[in-house]
Amino acid sequence: MSASKTLRKLEVVSPVPADIDIANSVEPFHISEIAKELNLSPKHYDLYGKYKAKVLLPVLDELEGSGDGYYVVVGGITPTPLGEGKSTTTVGLCQALGAFLDKKVATCLRQPSQGPTFGIKGGAAGGGYSQVIPMDEFNLHLTGDIHAITAANNLLAAAIDTRIFHESTQSDKALLNRLCPLNKEGKRSFSDIMFRRLKRLGISKTKPEELTPQEVKKFARLDIDPASITWRRVMDVNDRFLRKITIGQGPEEKGMVRETGFDISVASEIMAVLALTTSLADMRERLGKMVIGNSKAGDPVTADDLGVGGALTVLMKDAINPTLMQTLEGTPVLVHAGPFANIAHGNSSIVADKIALKLVGPGGFVVTEAGFGSDIGTEKFMNIKCRYSGLTPQCAVIVATIRALKMHGGGPEVVAGKPLDRAYTTENVSLVEAGCVNLARHISNTKAYGVNVVVAVNMFATDSEAELNAVRNAALTAGAYDAVVCTHHAHGGKGAVELGIAVQKACENVTQPLKFLYSLDISIKEKIEAIARSYGASGVEYSEQAERQIEMYSRQGFSGLPICMAKTQYSFSHQASEKGAPTGFVLPIRDVRASIGAGFIYPLVGTMSTMPGLPTRPCFYDIDLDTATGKVIGLS
């Protein structure tokens, strides 16, 4: 790709300007030029303006017989609340591979939620001279996928409460007659989606009038237990006052009051379905299988039982296509899906990775990022995403910073929005060395999957050479294939060339097949305990609620699903304050829930917020529009 028309030489300045200023200083290539570099013709994508395009799924069918490129996942050590630069490293590595090392490369990233963009964290396009552009389009509406998820999620929520309402006022026969109204010929018939429910109930009859009174009751009455409903409404805004609400207070709802709440849109199971689906047909099945709660008899109630699975698929039909964008240096990026990294698996989509691997071809590289530290994001990438995709990574990158390692070595607390303690900006090699126990555990855990591990030390201006050498030595001692200091934030791809070379060598020299942490045919508890051991736990303690849920999911036939642990990202343990590499603790499981359509069980370790709140001074104070140029300013 060295002769590519779409590779851009960056004019780097120091000190590094604000991210949005760098992004606005570069005129992106028309997205058709980026598509051309991937051998995509106009029939393979739909344009969304000048700088974004949806890559269409039939590309996969056309490339079915061609070989895949190398597959690389980027995780990190246990982070500080400030983040350690995984997205920036992912982008910088790809800029190095494409713009400096003459490799065909594609970056696969999650779509960010607008919650953090306007809240406390800011955007997620990378940073400095390693970014996805246009940054404002990446961080805001993009191509509308999250809006589609919001609409689909809330349609299902409306269907649940409406069904309870109508069942409360109608007889079985009246329900059947309204579900199967008379046609012009005066006859009743089942709609196609109803046959899914009939089949699940073991009823083989094809006409409504053939049903016995008992079958009419079974078919027409879902009898949803309101206390069992797990499906909540969503919106893509941080709003703490929607965490717990009461619905049904209008006079027309006849006293059907129920306590529920809102989650942020990216916490919707529909987002996890989008990320884990492998085809349009697979997405249809997953959406239909989503369980919203139970009947009063204890049987799961699905979206297809409510008759809405097909409509959800229609709302999601464009969202299944990944969005093509570009980096500052003109290398291609596929942005797709953005599931939570605690109650979901925190990885971009399977379809984006599959398309990218075919497009770069043998010898090319696809680099994707896994949310939070490797104990969460990389573990779920391997045991959930790779299990469903059938894909095998060759290399896992672990991003580390001197700052985070000092914290794990016993440094003062790091608090977002507050100045760093002097311990983090002056040399202290012994503090760094003490914190490398955290890095060492991430390396050993990740190596166990059969991949080569490369440590990327994301360098800050205050880091000393002695501190950086200490990390490199500790990483190699712990079994890393290589450990490289990177300056991609300050220098773009040029600052990650050594990392690119290390990743290439690691991919070319992998010797083991992919190994999962656990088998799917063991019990839910055994899977949970296998993951807990990887954290350093000596055992697991289950609440009475967790025990009940495990028994219920096992009885309902869901024990063969993988596990998606919902745990704090700030420690290997359940206590965010426990830094380093704690051992001997008992991991408490407070509750166990399931995303059946997405395809995993998620145990809750402590309390997980699925609707963030806004701080006293949110990011939106800095965001505005330059009305003279039409450009967004103040995004971080």
Side-chain angles (χ1 to χ4, degrees):
M1 283 182 67
S2 58
S4 163
K5 295 176 186 173
T6 66
L7 293 183
R8 179 187 294 107
K9 186 168 172 26
L10 288 176
E11 299 295 330
V12 171
V13 298
S14 180
V16 179
D19 291 348
I20 188 68
D21 293 336
I22 294 173
N24 284 341
S25 72
V26 172
E27 180 64 28
F29 295 109
H30 195 284
I31 201 64
S32 61
E33 293 297 313
I34 303 294
K36 199 182 295 180
E37 292 301 321
L38 289 171
N39 296 319
L40 289 169
S41 72
K43 72 173 184 177
H44 294 134
Y45 57 85
D46 288 337
L47 290 172
Y48 280 65
K50 293 189 289 185
Y51 307 126
K52 306 187 297 290
K54 282 278 197 183
V55 181
L56 305 176
L57 285 196
V59 169
L60 267 180
D61 299 327
E62 288 188 31
L63 296 172
E64 191 175 358
S66 59
D68 288 352
Y70 292 119
Y71 194 25
V72 181
V73 60
V74 178
I77 63 169
T78 306
T80 69
L82 307 177
E84 310 319 308
K86 283 199 318 295
S87 300
T88 307
T89 303
T90 303
V91 175
L93 169 58
C94 290
Q95 290 180 170
L97 287 165
F100 291 88
L101 296 174
D102 200 25
K103 302 298 177 187
K104 250 197 156 170
V105 64
T107 315
C108 289
L109 292 176
R110 289 182 290 169
Q111 178 185 354
S113 164
Q114 288 178 171
T117 299
F118 292 108
I120 193 168
K121 181 175 174 287
Y129 288 100
S130 295
Q131 290 188 55
V132 180
I133 56 172
M135 176 196 175
D136 56 335
E137 295 184 27
F138 177 86
N139 282 311
L140 300 175
H141 306 286
L142 199 62
T143 47
D145 293 356
I146 292 179
H147 299 319
I149 288 163
T150 303
N153 184 101
N154 293 343
L155 176 62
L156 179 51
I160 295 164
D161 290 300
T162 298
R163 186 58 174 263
I164 295 171
F165 173 78
H166 288 304
E167 285 190 18
S168 72
T169 59
Q170 297 177 48
S171 67
D172 298 340
K173 187 68 174 173
L175 272 173
L176 179 69
N177 288 345
R178 285 183 170 86
L179 289 168
C180 306
L182 291 169
N183 59 22
K184 290 178 182 176
E185 288 78 39
K187 295 187 177 178
R188 301 185 189 277
S189 62
F190 294 119
S191 61
D192 288 346
I193 198 168
M194 291 177 178
F195 286 106
R196 291 173 178 252
R197 175 160 175 78
L198 288 165
K199 183 179 179 183
R200 203 154 78 84
L201 294 172
I203 299 172
S204 58
K205 294 168 183 174
T206 57
K207 296 177 182 177
E209 61 267 24
E210 295 174 348
L211 299 184
T212 66
Q214 186 59 31
E215 288 170 336
V216 168
K217 184 180 181 71
K218 278 178 72 178
F219 167 73
R221 194 167 293 280
L222 301 182
D223 202 24
I224 297 168
D225 178 3
S228 75
I229 296 171
T230 54
W231 199 265
R232 288 155 59 95
R233 288 159 174 83
V234 299
M235 63 164 52
D236 198 34
V237 173
N238 290 2
D239 191 343
R240 68 177 70 242
F241 288 96
L242 292 178
R243 289 170 179 165
K244 186 175 281 192
I245 62 167
T246 303
I247 58 170
Q249 294 194 15
E252 297 84 1
E253 280 62 67
K254 302 176 184 175
M256 302 288 294
V257 175
R258 183 170 74 83
E259 194 176 85
T260 180
F262 273 75
D263 295 331
I264 198 160
S265 294
V266 293
S268 171
E269 183 178 348
I270 296 175
M271 176 62 91
V273 166
L274 178 65
L276 288 170
T277 197
T278 55
S279 67
L280 200 54
D282 180 58
M283 184 172 74
R284 170 64 187 89
E285 293 306 310
R286 287 175 181 269
L287 291 172
K289 286 194 297 187
M290 293 188 304
V291 173
I292 59 88
N294 299 324
S295 70
K296 288 171 184 169
D299 298 318
V301 178
T302 68
D304 272 347
D305 288 331
L306 285 155
V308 74
L312 301 181
T313 310
V314 169
L315 285 170
M316 294 293 294
K317 71 180 179 62
D318 296 321
I320 197 174
N321 300 310
T323 299
L324 180 64
M325 296 187 75
Q326 62 192 284
T327 67
L328 284 169
E329 297 191 62
T331 60
V333 180
L334 285 176
V335 186
H336 203 212
F340 253 34
N342 46 36
I343 66 160
H345 64 294
N347 282 261
S348 60
S349 79
I350 286 173
V351 293
D353 290 1
K354 285 193 163 189
I355 289 170
L357 285 163
K358 295 296 183 190
L359 291 175
V360 302
F365 291 82
V366 170
V367 183
T368 188
E369 179 200 349
F372 293 157
S374 296
D375 55 322
I376 298 177
T378 303
E379 183 270 310
K380 294 174 183 180
F381 171 86
M382 300 293 185
N383 291 306
I384 299 176
K385 185 176 180 181
C386 289
R387 213 187 281 269
Y388 281 124
S389 70
L391 299 172
T392 300
Q394 287 77 40
C395 173
V397 174
I398 297 177
V399 179
T401 62
I402 298 297
R403 174 178 70 196
L405 291 169
K406 284 181 174 178
M407 177 189 73
H408 288 296
E413 186 181 8
V414 177
V415 180
K418 290 188 178 179
L420 282 173
D421 188 274
R422 193 169 176 275
Y424 294 105
T425 55
T426 54
E427 183 176 278
N428 190 328
V429 176
S430 60
L431 200 59
V432 173
E433 288 174 336
C436 282
V437 292
N438 183 270
L439 173 62
R441 183 177 292 171
H442 283 294
I443 292 170
S444 61
N445 280 358
T446 307
K447 272 189 72 179
Y449 295 109
V451 296
N452 283 330
V453 174
V454 174
V455 173
V457 186
N458 186 17
M459 181 180 171
F460 288 67
T462 53
D463 299 343
S464 75
E465 190 173 344
E467 289 172 333
L468 295 168
N469 285 336
V471 179
R472 190 170 188 277
N473 292 336
L476 295 174
T477 301
Y481 184 85
D482 204 347
V484 181
V485 176
C486 311
T487 60
H488 45 275
H489 183 272
H491 302 118
K494 185 178 180 181
V497 168
E498 283 188 43
L499 176 62
I501 293 168
V503 165
Q504 180 182 347
K505 288 179 180 174
C507 288
E508 291 170 347
N509 291 287
V510 70
T511 57
Q512 299 181 62
L514 177 63
K515 300 176 209 161
F516 297 121
L517 185 60
Y518 53 82
S519 165
L520 289 183
D521 57 13
I522 61 176
S523 71
I524 291 173
K525 281 189 174 182
E526 287 172 309
K527 292 172 200 168
I528 290 171
E529 286 151 19
I531 297 170
R533 284 193 295 275
S534 77
Y535 298 155
S538 59
V540 178
E541 184 177 73
Y542 301 91
S543 70
E544 288 183 15
Q545 169 69 3
E547 292 278 11
R548 282 194 298 271
Q549 293 294 100
I550 290 170
E551 188 279 326
M552 181 186 74
Y553 290 133
S554 300
R555 176 171 46 79
Q556 291 176 342
F558 301 136
S559 62
L561 293 174
I563 298 296
C564 183
M565 296 285 265
K567 177 185 76 72
T568 177
Q569 68 268 38
Y570 295 122
S571 173
F572 272 110
S573 81
H574 55 289
Q575 307 246 5
S577 59
E578 290 287 319
K579 304 304 181 185
T583 57
F585 57 91
V586 176
L587 193 74
I589 305 298
R590 179 177 64 83
D591 199 356
V592 177
R593 298 179 192 165
S595 291
I596 301 303
F600 53 75
I601 304 282
Y602 61 99
L604 297 174
V605 183
T607 304
M608 291 289 133
S609 174
T610 50
M611 171 54 87
L614 290 170
T616 305
R617 191 190 186 282
C619 294
F620 61 61
Y621 272 88
D622 300 313
I623 298 170
D624 211 326
L625 195 69
D626 183 332
T627 54
T629 65
K631 287 192 173 182
V632 175
I633 55 177
L635 269 179
S636 60

